[in-house]
């Protein structure tokens, strides 16, 4: 099922058992912020990006290394070298994704990001080292920026796809098929939003973080929160702006977000996550966040 029909999706989702696959990844991959700078093409539709003067390449590199060191305590994490010709490559989950037995290459909107999909070393890693079959969506014309646009409940095989300039309906269909999902809900992001994973996270299949201001239709945000109630964090404007929605569960008991997001997370919402069985881990990423993404955007998952 792939649909815009909210009632039909919710009815289907409530009947689905959490037996689709592992709820969290068994490894992660990163791409170093080598040549970290403002990507002017990406800034056209990413309102979270800072001005060029705010970019600090040395600090970004240090923080990114600290991120790898931190999450390596939870799961094996490899980091590929960056490339000064691809300044957005620090957010690899938009370009490369994995599902059971396969790796997927997405179609990026901007040419500067399309270059990332040609990385032979990353493709060879998934193909020759991880032994995964390839599904290459990068050459077809429909934009589909993988797990930036598509938030996945891996335990249930459910997708939540936010449509914007970074993903159209046909691109969503291609991702739904590539990831082999049981059902995907299509919805429009609010004007000014570019990726669903900035305003929504599903945590190990049993909790959700939702930023209602990021949805064109507030009823969609409310329905998703209700689907994961009582373990649904509904973010206020300050939490939304601080990237609380751009978090990720990397194990059954940890949720990771940036220091900035952790500082904005209200005590009540921190307790809600604790009640769901998660401790909140944070890493300083303010330099990386100048590029318009946060911790979840930096992490590619290997399933």
């Amino acid at each position: 099922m792939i649909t815009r029909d909210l009632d039909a999706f919710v009815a289907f989702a409530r009947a689905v058992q959490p037996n689709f696959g592992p709820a969290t990844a068994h490894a992660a991959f990163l791409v170093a912020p080598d040549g970290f700078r403002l990507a002017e093409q990406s800034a056209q539709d990413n309102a979270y990006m800072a001005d060029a003067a705010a970019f600090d390449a040395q600090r970004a590199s240090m923080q990114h290394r600290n991120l790898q060191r931190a999450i390596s305590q939870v799961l094996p994490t490899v980091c590929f070298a960056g490339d000064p010709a691809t300044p957005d490559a620090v957010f690899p989950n938009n370009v490369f994704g994995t599902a059971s037995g396969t790796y997927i290459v997405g179609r990026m909107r901007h040419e500067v990001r399309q270059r990332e999909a040609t990385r032979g070393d990353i493709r060879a890693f998934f193909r020759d080292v991880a032994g995964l079959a390839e599904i290459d969506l990068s050459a077809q014309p429909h934009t589909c920026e993988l797990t930036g646009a598509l938030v996945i409940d891996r335990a249930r095989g459910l997708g939540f796809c936010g449509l914007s300039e970074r993903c159209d309906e046909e691109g969503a269909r291609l991702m739904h098929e590539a990831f082999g999902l049981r059902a995907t809900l299509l919805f429009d992001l609010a004007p000014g939003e570019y990726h669903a994973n900035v305003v929504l996270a599903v945590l190990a299949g049993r909790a959700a973080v939702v930023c209602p201001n990021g949805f064109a239709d507030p009823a969609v945000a409310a329905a998703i929160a209700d689907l994961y109630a009582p373990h649904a964090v509904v973010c206020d404007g300050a939490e939304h702006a601080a990237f609380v929605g751009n978090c990720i569960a990397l194990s059954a008991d940890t949720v990771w977000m940036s220091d900035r997001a952790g500082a904005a997370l209200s005590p009540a919402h921190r307790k809600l996550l604790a009640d769901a069985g998660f401790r909140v881990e944070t890493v300083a990423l303010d330099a990386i966040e100048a590029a318009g993404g946060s911790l979840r955007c930096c992490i590619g998952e290997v399933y």
Side-chain angles (χ1 to χ4, degrees):
M1 171 192 287
I2 180 166
T3 183
R4 280 182 173 270
D5 187 326
L6 185 58
D7 292 338
F9 177 85
V10 169
F12 182 92
R14 289 195 181 282
V16 166
Q17 296 300 310
N19 59 1
F20 183 76
T24 60
H26 61 259
F29 64 95
L30 313 175
V31 174
D34 301 330
F36 188 70
R37 58 181 169 79
L38 175 68
E40 294 182 359
Q41 290 180 19
S42 299
Q44 295 171 14
D45 60 351
N46 184 340
Y48 295 90
M49 292 183 78
D51 294 334
F55 282 69
D56 183 335
Q58 183 175 1
R59 183 171 175 81
S61 181
M62 177 193 70
Q63 291 183 344
H64 193 266
R65 184 64 173 153
N66 288 341
L67 172 64
Q68 182 183 7
R69 184 179 300 109
I71 67 174
S72 292
Q73 302 304 307
V74 176
L75 77 176
T77 306
V78 298
C79 184
F80 296 97
D83 181 348
T86 57
D88 284 328
V90 69
F91 303 134
N93 75 303
N94 307 151
V95 186
F96 296 98
T98 65
S100 178
T102 63
Y103 79 95
I104 302 145
V105 187
R107 163 74 177 189
M108 306 304 291
R109 180 189 182 201
H110 297 295
E111 188 275 335
V112 69
R113 298 222 62 189
Q114 291 169 11
R115 301 172 198 163
E116 297 171 42
T118 67
R119 288 277 302 250
D121 58 336
I122 297 180
R123 288 178 181 245
F125 173 82
F126 288 121
R127 181 185 66 241
D128 302 333
V129 179
L132 302 179
E134 180 184 270
I135 299 175
D136 190 353
L137 305 179
S138 66
Q140 56 79 42
H142 296 278
T143 308
C144 50
E145 299 198 352
L146 299 191
T147 54
L150 179 66
V151 174
I152 303 175
D153 180 336
R154 300 277 186 161
R156 292 177 175 79
L158 301 176
F160 303 87
C161 192
L163 303 180
S164 70
E165 295 89 345
R166 304 291 186 98
C167 182
D168 62 23
E169 288 201 18
E170 179 61 15
R173 185 190 66 78
L174 292 170
M175 291 193 299
H176 171 81
E177 293 178 354
F179 284 98
L181 300 176
R182 288 168 167 164
T184 296
L185 176 67
L186 305 182
F187 57 91
D188 294 319
L189 294 175
E193 296 293 347
Y194 73 107
H195 274 162
N197 78 354
V198 178
V199 300
L200 174 65
V202 174
L203 306 175
R206 66 177 193 270
V209 178
V210 185
C211 301
N213 290 346
F215 293 72
D217 182 353
V220 176
I224 295 172
D226 187 59
L227 190 60
Y228 291 92
H231 301 138
V233 171
V234 179
C235 294
D236 62 22
E239 290 171 318
H240 177 180
F243 289 112
V244 171
N246 196 239
C247 60
I248 187 170
L250 293 176
S251 63
D253 60 354
T254 60
V255 173
W256 293 77
M257 61 184 69
S258 71
D259 268 2
R260 176 185 172 192
L265 185 68
S266 73
H269 287 162
R270 188 178 292 269
K271 182 179 185 302
L272 190 154
L273 291 173
D275 290 345
F278 296 108
R279 71 178 185 274
V280 176
E281 300 280 0
T282 63
V283 180
L285 287 176
D286 54 282
I288 299 289
E289 288 173 337
S294 190
L295 187 142
R296 195 273 172 269
C297 294
C298 291
I299 297 174
E301 299 164 284
V302 181
Y303 281 88

